[in-house]
């Protein structure tokens, strides 16, 4: 059933005259203004459920279900949303929902916003209780909720039988790619951002979501400075970012910083992958490395997710250590922590979120101490960045 040969079009081939004649615009206004949306639907697809329906096992609410109302092949459209308090990527959020729904990912297209994170266009397959094999296309958007604060993550799910998909592929593309919030705000994030500023060997500045707290070390110098950023939820620590700033003279390479970090982490029994050069679109970052791993505290039961980021600019080396819950299906803390670090790296000395052409920096991969192979998270597609 996992047929990755199914067509996954991203450019419309149906003629504008056909689309104008065979589609209609639905405005859904049966909910509060921040959740109201519009969507283009085939003339044969009409509303069947308009009242909100909660799906507690998915932490989702359906706000609109539409189905074919004539004798044509079955086509279903659902709009599903969740309200979240903390900023995260819409792409990471949707992948988790697909796992909970037992959808098998066939094709993934990731779309990157300038400052609002990553989005997802994905084709999946699943088997319904009656045995029918179904194909679905999902897309997702995010918008700030001016009434409740936080953000609404809203996705469309367009579904048909697998045998009908070749005939429906371009109609499904039209539906999945043509919808939006009616009252779209000018802030597509769950939180406002606060600027961190520090006068180091260069003026350092970047953004973090406002729910993160900062702790300053008292003995910081122009050669070495340390900061701790903490994400606390209901009095409990759900994420830490340790930040160490080094003058260029204090470290000759990313490998050197990595060795120092490993020495400090050995008390926590780390299992960590090799440090790797990564692509960074931030034009102020000249070299960029990451490594992921696990910190174990008194056994696997209390282990934590670890990711190291090392940045080099014209004025210094910057080491960040993200620690928090591992990816899981019970909460979104891993997604929240990941997004916070992405905001830091994207806005580092670049608070306008400018981007450069994606090129791999001409650097040598540093050596690694005792590399440990990690098992991939089961719901994340192959090569999906963690």
């Amino acid at each position: 059933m996992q047929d990755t040969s199914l067509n996954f079009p991203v450019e419309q081939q149906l003629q504008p005259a056909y689309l104008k004649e065979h589609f209609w615009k639905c405005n859904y206004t049966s909910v509060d203004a921040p959740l109201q949306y519009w969507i283009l639907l085939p003339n044969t697809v009409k509303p069947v459920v308009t009242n909100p329906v909660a799906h507690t096992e998915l932490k989702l609410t359906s706000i609109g279900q539409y189905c074919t109302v004539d004798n044509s092949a079955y086509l279903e459209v659902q709009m599903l949303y969740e309200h979240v308090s903390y900023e995260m990527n819409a792409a990471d959020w949707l992948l988790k929902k697909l796992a909970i729904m037992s959808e098998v990912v066939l094709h993934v297209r990731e779309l990157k916003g300038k400052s609002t994170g990553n989005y997802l266009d994905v084709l999946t397959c699943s088997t319904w209780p009656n045995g029918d094999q179904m194909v679905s296309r999902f897309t997702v958007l995010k918008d700030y909720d001016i009434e409740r604060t936080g953000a609404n993550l809203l996705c469309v799910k367009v579904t048909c039988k697998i045998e009908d998909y070749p005939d429906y592929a371009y109609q499904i593309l039209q539906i999945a790619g043509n919808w939006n919030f009616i009252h779209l705000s000018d802030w597509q994030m769950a939180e406002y951002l606060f600027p961190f500023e520090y006068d180091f060997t260069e003026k350092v500045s970047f953004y973090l979501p406002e729910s993160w707290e900062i702790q300053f070390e008292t003995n910081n110098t122009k050669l070495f400075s340390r900061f701790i950023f903490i994400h606390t939820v209901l009095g409990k620590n759900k994420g830490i970012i340790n930040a160490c700033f080094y003058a260029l003279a204090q470290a000759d390479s990313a490998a050197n910083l990595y060795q120092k970090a490993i020495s400090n982490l050995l008390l926590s029994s780390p299992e960590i992958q090799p440090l790797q050069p990564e692509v960074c679109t931030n034009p102020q970052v000249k070299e960029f490395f990451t490594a992921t791993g696990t910190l174990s505290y008194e056994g696997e039961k209390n282990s934590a997710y670890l990711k190291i980021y090392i940045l080099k600019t014209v004025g210094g080396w910057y080491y960040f250590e993200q620690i928090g819950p591992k990816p899981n299906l019970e909460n979104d803390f891993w997604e929240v922590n990941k997004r916070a670090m992405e905001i830091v790296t994207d806005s580092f000395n670049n608070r306008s979120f400018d981007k450069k052409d994606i090129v791999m920096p001409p650097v040598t991969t540093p050596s690694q101490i005792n590399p440990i192979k990690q098992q991939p998270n089961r719901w994340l597609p192959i090569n999906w960045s963690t």
Side-chain angles (χ1 to χ4, degrees):
M1 176 175 162
Q2 190 170 341
D3 187 359
T4 56
S5 66
L6 290 175
N7 187 24
F8 185 55
V10 297
E11 294 185 3
Q12 186 57 263
Q13 292 189 1
L14 298 177
Q15 296 300 311
Y18 174 90
L19 297 173
K20 183 176 180 179
E21 180 181 354
H22 291 87
F23 280 77
W24 65 286
K25 185 179 182 181
C26 171
N27 291 308
Y28 183 87
T29 58
S30 298
V31 288
D32 294 336
L35 281 167
Q36 294 175 9
Y37 62 86
W38 63 266
I39 186 169
L40 297 186
L41 296 171
N43 292 338
T44 57
V45 173
K46 303 296 182 183
V48 293
V49 179
T50 57
N51 294 327
V53 178
H55 302 278
T56 55
E57 73 282 6
L58 302 175
K59 297 181 182 178
L60 288 174
T61 300
S62 173
I63 49 173
Q65 182 179 2
Y66 312 85
C67 294
T68 47
V69 292
D70 62 1
N71 294 325
S72 57
Y74 182 78
L75 185 67
E76 177 186 271
V77 180
Q78 268 193 302
M79 303 297 295
L80 301 157
Y81 90 93
E82 181 182 14
H83 181 269
V84 298
S85 298
Y86 303 112
E87 171 62 8
M88 67 185 77
N89 282 313
D92 293 325
W93 173 85
L94 181 55
L95 280 177
K96 179 174 290 185
K97 297 304 180 186
L98 297 179
I100 298 172
M101 289 187 277
S102 299
E103 297 281 344
V104 177
V105 174
L106 302 178
H107 294 282
V108 173
R109 183 166 68 112
E110 190 176 20
L111 309 171
K112 297 180 182 294
K114 181 177 180 180
S115 62
T116 58
N118 302 334
Y119 301 83
L120 207 63
D121 177 11
V122 58
L123 193 72
T124 70
C125 62
S126 62
T127 301
W128 282 12
N130 64 1
D132 286 341
Q133 295 184 354
M134 311 299 289
V135 174
S136 299
R137 189 163 187 165
F138 294 79
T139 56
V140 59
L141 293 174
K142 175 178 59 175
D143 194 31
Y144 185 76
D145 191 318
I146 60 173
E147 296 182 2
R148 303 171 59 188
T149 70
N152 297 309
L153 286 153
L154 179 62
C155 73
V156 61
K157 176 187 180 186
V158 191
T159 304
C160 70
K161 292 183 179 180
I162 193 169
E163 59 266 27
D164 298 322
Y165 179 75
D167 295 328
Y168 267 147
Y170 287 96
Q171 291 191 51
I172 289 175
L173 170 64
Q174 182 71 3
I175 300 168
N178 288 276
W179 65 275
N180 210 329
F181 294 93
I182 292 176
H183 307 286
L184 186 67
S185 77
D186 58 359
W187 188 254
Q188 280 76 61
M189 292 195 227
E191 301 179 64
Y192 291 116
L193 305 180
F194 77 84
F196 170 89
E197 297 178 328
Y198 183 65
D199 191 9
F200 191 50
T201 56
E202 60 183 336
K203 289 190 179 297
V204 175
S205 67
F206 52 82
Y207 285 116
L208 267 171
E210 63 181 353
S211 60
W212 288 74
E213 305 170 14
I214 180 173
Q215 295 182 1
F216 289 81
E217 289 284 341
T218 58
N219 57 346
N220 285 341
T221 71
K222 293 287 187 178
L223 296 177
F224 174 79
S225 295
R226 183 169 180 256
F227 308 87
I228 301 176
F229 304 95
I230 302 174
H231 193 240
T232 303
V233 179
L234 299 176
K236 295 184 178 180
N237 175 13
K238 297 300 181 181
I240 292 178
I241 297 173
N242 293 312
C244 297
F245 299 175
Y246 296 86
L248 290 176
Q250 297 299 109
D252 57 7
S253 67
N256 179 257
L257 293 184
Y258 183 76
Q259 297 286 346
K260 294 180 180 180
I262 291 297
S263 298
N264 294 331
L265 289 171
L266 287 177
L267 296 177
S268 302
S269 303
E271 297 179 358
I272 192 163
Q273 293 179 346
L275 192 65
Q276 296 291 337
E278 298 283 353
V279 171
C280 184
T281 59
N282 183 341
Q284 300 303 317
V285 176
K286 306 308 177 184
E287 295 184 22
F288 184 50
F289 300 84
T290 66
T292 58
T294 299
L295 292 180
S296 298
Y297 301 96
E298 299 180 1
E300 177 67 21
K301 183 178 180 180
N302 296 316
S303 63
Y305 176 85
L306 166 70
K307 185 161 185 178
I308 291 171
Y309 300 76
I310 299 177
L311 292 68
K312 184 183 180 182
T313 69
V314 295
W317 286 97
Y318 301 91
Y319 171 93
F320 293 91
E321 192 176 271
Q322 172 197 332
I323 300 173
K326 294 179 179 179
N328 64 84
L329 300 180
E330 285 70 49
N331 59 63
D332 297 320
F333 298 129
W334 176 79
E335 287 81 2
V336 170
N337 296 342
K338 175 190 176 189
R339 175 73 176 123
M341 265 309 310
E342 289 176 354
I343 291 172
V344 170
T345 58
D346 287 346
S347 65
F348 196 92
N349 290 352
N350 177 39
R351 282 163 48 181
S352 59
F353 289 92
D354 293 333
K355 296 185 183 299
K356 64 183 177 183
D357 293 337
I358 299 177
V359 292
M360 204 55 146
V363 293
T364 303
T365 302
S367 59
Q368 162 67 24
I369 301 175
N370 299 325
I372 303 295
K373 185 177 181 180
Q374 273 191 315
Q375 293 299 316
N377 302 298
R378 68 177 183 85
W379 77 87
L380 299 177
I382 294 174
N383 295 328
W384 186 261
S385 174
T386 57

